[in-house]
Amino acid sequence: MILYTNGCSFTWGDELNDRKDRYGVLLSKKLNCKHMVDHSKCASSNQRILRTTLSYLQDKNLEDYIVVIGWSGISRREYFLNKSWAGITPTMIGGDVAATTYYSNMQSSVQDNLDFYYQVLLLQMWLEKKNAKYFMFRIDDGNV
């Protein structure tokens, strides 16, 4: 069995003294997985989590995987510009032009919630179609 994890800093283990203590490593050992793949990244948006999960798993035999997704704060976003992906978070307001523009003029909690539900449902249906074992949880950022 292979453990696949993706998420934000909670999955990455940002607050830990040793990343070997992050939950993915501990779970992998507990389940006797032969391998672990961790695509988590600090400050990840759910858009990035969904995009990178689908990209990595699309050609894999998911019956060999256990997929664990730690969904991030719903107000985080990513956008594609100049041939690369960039992320923005509300904490970047005032220090980043794109973040300031987006959160001041376009962001809404209604849209954030709808996008989050679409992302979860899309991944859930896709994983079930592929007969994958999965578990998802959400980091509560207090914006719902």
Side-chain angles (χ1 to χ4, degrees), residues 3-13 19 22-24 27 36-57 66-72 78 123 135-139:
L3 178 65
Y4 175 86
T5 59
N6 203 345
C8 63
S9 60
F10 289 95
T11 301
W12 194 84
R19 284 195 65 229
R22 68 189 186 277
Y23 78 79
L27 184 60
M36 181 184 132
V37 176
D38 179 20
H39 280 160
S40 63
K41 182 179 175 186
C42 293
S44 281
S45 68
N46 290 326
Q47 293 165 307
R48 185 201 119 2
I49 294 166
L50 177 63
R51 177 179 55 79
T52 56
T53 298
L54 291 173
S55 177
Y56 178 79
L57 293 175
I66 298 172
V67 178
V68 179
I69 303 297
W71 294 108
S72 186
E78 77 170 359
L123 186 57
F135 178 80
M136 296 189 259
F137 63 94
R138 178 172 174 237
I139 302 305

Side-chain angles (χ1 to χ4, degrees), residues 48 53 62 76 79 81 106 114 116 129 134 144:
R48 185 201 119 2
T53 298
L62 295 190
R76 293 176 174 179
Y79 60 94
L81 182 66
M106 296 180 281
L114 282 172
F116 176 66
K129 182 176 171 85
Y134 68 92
V144 177

Side-chain angles (χ1 to χ4, degrees), residues 11 13 36 39 44 52 61 77 82 85 99 104 111 115 141 143:
T11 301
M36 181 184 132
H39 280 160
S44 281
T52 56
N61 177 2
R77 290 280 184 246
N82 298 325
W85 290 98
S104 298
Q111 187 66 53
D115 289 345
D141 65 357
N143 287 332

